Amino acid sequence: MQKGVVMFGSFVVDLTTRQKGLPLPGQTIIGSSFQMGPGGKGSNQAVAAHRAGAEVTLITKIGKDAFSNVALDFYRKEGISAEHVLVAEEESTGIALIMVDEDGGQNEIVVVPAACMHIAPEDIEKSRSAIESAKILLVQMEINLDALCRIIEIAHQAGVFVILNPAPAARIPDAVLAMVDVVTPNETEAEALTGVAVRSEADARRAAAYFLDRGVKNVVITLGEMGAFATDGKKSETLSRIPVEAIDSTGAGDAFNGGFAAALAEGKDLFAALRFGNATGALSVTKHGTAPSMPRREEILAVYRENYGEWVEK
């Protein structure tokens, strides 16, 4: 029986500074605060889906070091099982260096995935049963490409619905794209992968056509201030950004993807899931941090109802 969301992806420890502005090349500026906490696109999206109400199985890889405790302690408190967290013998736990502008909430990020870039064939085999029993597989690009391709192949062959968030953007073989049910780049990632500069809804349609032509079933492009766009190849919809007071945009895309996956796991269609993801992403930027900023289901539903009407539970 297929159930829930399986997230196979990255965990890193976020090392976050806040300061006025972002440094120019060669410039040193004084920060006002520093915070260490759980992060990584995969882990963030798993937390977002979990808080949004999905049954989540998290598969990631950490090292045998002090940073690994950040992951395990957080998952214990969050109520997410660490049963499928893999442990590397030699590689360290990944880290992300994040600088956040206090004035506008914009950020600059450098990620070192470390252990998550060393997903071995035996790691995948250990996780095969979890992948094959999923209703939704959610993956990103902060793991090694050969592992990513194999994970998607296993899920596709088992009839699992595959969501690929191609972040950070990297070339993906067309044969792998053809096994993806939904691809969810932001506008920058869409441009990097398709060559289409996404500045408008029309641009989003052209970028989406690139993925549809390669066999992807559905395309969702998050557009920052412009909102979000989705198409199944026949029907398309563009949502406006939900107006909120943004204080930290870090992790907004992860929140969107987690909420989107949770809604699909409930049996919602692409466009209801798009709206649910949009509400989840909007809420996340009203708080500091990445995983800790992911909103709870009751918060998401309140924003959903305010902007889109009643959410019908299935």
Side-chain angles (χ1 to χ4, degrees), residues 87-156:
V87 180
E89 292 298 324
E90 298 180 3
E91 294 81 22
S92 62
T93 304
I95 62 98
L97 304 176
I98 305 172
M99 294 180 291
V100 180
D101 179 1
E102 290 178 323
D103 292 333
Q106 291 302 308
N107 61 71
E108 291 181 356
I109 304 173
V110 176
V111 179
V112 183
C116 291
M117 279 296 181
H118 297 272
I119 305 295
E122 55 267 30
D123 295 327
I124 299 171
E125 287 305 312
K126 288 178 185 175
S127 308
R128 177 187 281 269
S129 62
I131 297 168
E132 291 179 335
S133 63
K135 183 172 185 180
I136 306 286
L137 173 71
L138 176 59
V139 288
Q140 316 76 28
M141 304 288 291
E142 286 181 344
I143 64 174
N144 41 306
L145 183 60
D146 59 333
L148 178 72
C149 294
R150 180 59 180 146
I151 292 159
I152 290 174
E153 180 183 26
I154 289 171
H156 176 72

Side-chain angles (χ1 to χ4, degrees), residues 301-314:
L301 290 178
V303 170
Y304 186 98
R305 294 186 187 104
E306 183 178 345
N307 288 274
Y308 306 121
E310 193 60 34
W311 177 263
V312 179
E313 301 282 358
K314 289 199 172 185

Side-chain angles (χ1 to χ4, degrees), residues 104 106-107 184-190 198-201 204 220-230 238-244 246 249-254 256-257 274 277-279 281-285 308:
Q106 291 302 308
N107 61 71
T184 63
N186 65 21
E187 71 273 34
T188 303
E189 293 150 1
V198 180
R199 305 288 184 269
S200 66
E201 180 180 341
V220 172
I221 303 176
T222 55
L223 303 170
E225 292 295 319
M226 293 186 291
F229 168 85
T238 301
L239 298 181
S240 299
R241 172 183 173 272
I242 295 175
V244 294
S249 63
T250 314
D254 296 335
F256 176 94
N257 276 276
L274 174 73
N278 201 37
L283 279 166
S284 74
V285 306
Y308 306 121

Side-chain angles (χ1 to χ4, degrees), residues 256-272:
F256 176 94
N257 276 276
F260 176 73
L264 289 175
E266 285 186 45
K268 299 298 185 180
D269 68 16
L270 178 73
F271 302 102

Side-chain angles (χ1 to χ4, degrees), residues 31-246:
S32 58
S33 69
F34 169 77
Q35 185 176 15
M36 181 176 77
K41 289 185 180 299
S43 181
N44 291 342
Q45 292 177 22
V47 172
H50 171 72
R51 291 187 177 183
E55 179 183 350
V56 173
T57 299
L58 167 69
I59 308 173
T60 189
K61 195 169 188 179
I62 57 179
K64 289 183 174 180
D65 52 31
F67 280 161
S68 67
N69 294 328
V70 176
L72 299 175
D73 290 346
F74 179 72
Y75 298 145
R76 190 178 304 113
K77 292 174 183 175
E78 194 68 23
I80 295 176
S81 171
E83 177 186 356
H84 294 281
V85 174
L86 306 161
V87 180
E89 292 298 324
E90 298 180 3
E91 294 81 22
S92 62
T93 304
I95 62 98
L97 304 176
I98 305 172
M99 294 180 291
V100 180
D101 179 1
E102 290 178 323
D103 292 333
Q106 291 302 308
N107 61 71
E108 291 181 356
I109 304 173
V110 176
V111 179
V112 183
C116 291
M117 279 296 181
H118 297 272
I119 305 295
E122 55 267 30
D123 295 327
I124 299 171
E125 287 305 312
K126 288 178 185 175
S127 308
R128 177 187 281 269
S129 62
I131 297 168
E132 291 179 335
S133 63
K135 183 172 185 180
I136 306 286
L137 173 71
L138 176 59
V139 288
Q140 316 76 28
M141 304 288 291
E142 286 181 344
I143 64 174
N144 41 306
L145 183 60
D146 59 333
L148 178 72
C149 294
R150 180 59 180 146
I151 292 159
I152 290 174
E153 180 183 26
I154 289 171
H156 176 72
Q157 290 174 348
V160 177
F161 191 95
V162 177
I163 304 172
L164 170 62
N165 176 225
R171 284 293 167 189
I172 306 155
D174 286 355
V176 175
L177 283 176
M179 293 185 277
V180 170
D181 292 285
V182 188
V183 65
T184 63
N186 65 21
E187 71 273 34
T188 303
E189 293 150 1
E191 180 176 353
L193 293 169
T194 70
V196 177
V198 180
R199 305 288 184 269
S200 66
E201 180 180 341
D203 296 335
R205 290 178 184 276
R206 287 194 292 273
Y210 172 95
F211 294 110
L212 294 171
D213 289 346
R214 283 155 179 78
V216 178
K217 315 303 184 296
N218 307 274
V219 181
V220 172
I221 303 176
T222 55
L223 303 170
E225 292 295 319
M226 293 186 291
F229 168 85
T231 181
D232 60 7
K234 297 178 181 178
K235 178 183 174 183
S236 299
E237 183 174 345
T238 301
L239 298 181
S240 299
R241 172 183 173 272
I242 295 175
V244 294
E245 185 177 348

